[in-house]
Each structure stands twice: as C-alpha cells, then as structure tokens.
Amino acid sequence: MTKAHHIAWWARDHGETDLNNGVLLCETCHHLVHDNDWSIRVDGTGIHAKVWFLPPPGTSAPPRPGGRARTEKLA
C-alpha cells in the first residue's frame, strides 16, 4: 500500500501538484520524510528513475535507496 507524496511539499514549499513532483511512498517512508526531516531526490525519469531518501542536514546517516532499488543490487 502506498500514499502519494509531493517531493516539494505543496503547503511548505508551494510545490506543483503534478506527476513530476510526486512519488508513491509506503507508510513507513512517508513518516520518515514528514516526521524526521528526510528529503527525497529522484534521479532520472519514468520507470528507470531512482528514488533516494536524503537524511536531514548535519546527520551522518547515508542516503538510502527507495523504490525497487531497496531490493535490487546497487551498481
């Protein structure tokens, strides 16, 4: 089950409400972003795009792969 999420938040960042500014997130990842100050970066477009979860500034946590990259071997 997933929820639609605005990468540039609609209320906070005045982000667009279109598919280029959207990503589907599971409940856990949605809370990671909203409650813990993580952000999202998408590299590429379409089905080959790679989604990354970026930790809050000032933390030592590494970026985490999202989507199918979580279960695929990263090159």
Side-chain angles (χ1 to χ4, degrees):
M1 241 187 174
T2 59
K3 292 184 174 183
H5 172 77
H6 292 96
I7 296 169
W9 298 8
W10 183 81
R12 184 189 71 186
D13 306 323
H14 306 287
E16 297 293 323
T17 56
D18 60 28
L19 294 177
N20 291 326
N21 185 38
V23 65
L24 294 175
L25 300 177
C26 70
E27 186 76 21
T28 300
C29 291
H30 209 189
H31 280 286
L32 182 74
V33 172
H34 277 280
D35 300 340
N36 297 317
D37 244 2
W38 284 63
S39 59
I40 298 172
R41 182 182 80 222
V42 179
D43 296 333
T45 59
I47 63 169
H48 300 293
K50 299 290 183 187
V51 176
W52 290 93
F53 294 95
L54 308 174
T59 64
S60 61
R64 296 181 186 174
R68 289 193 313 238
R70 291 180 70 184
T71 57
E72 295 174 351
K73 181 179 177 182
L74 295 175

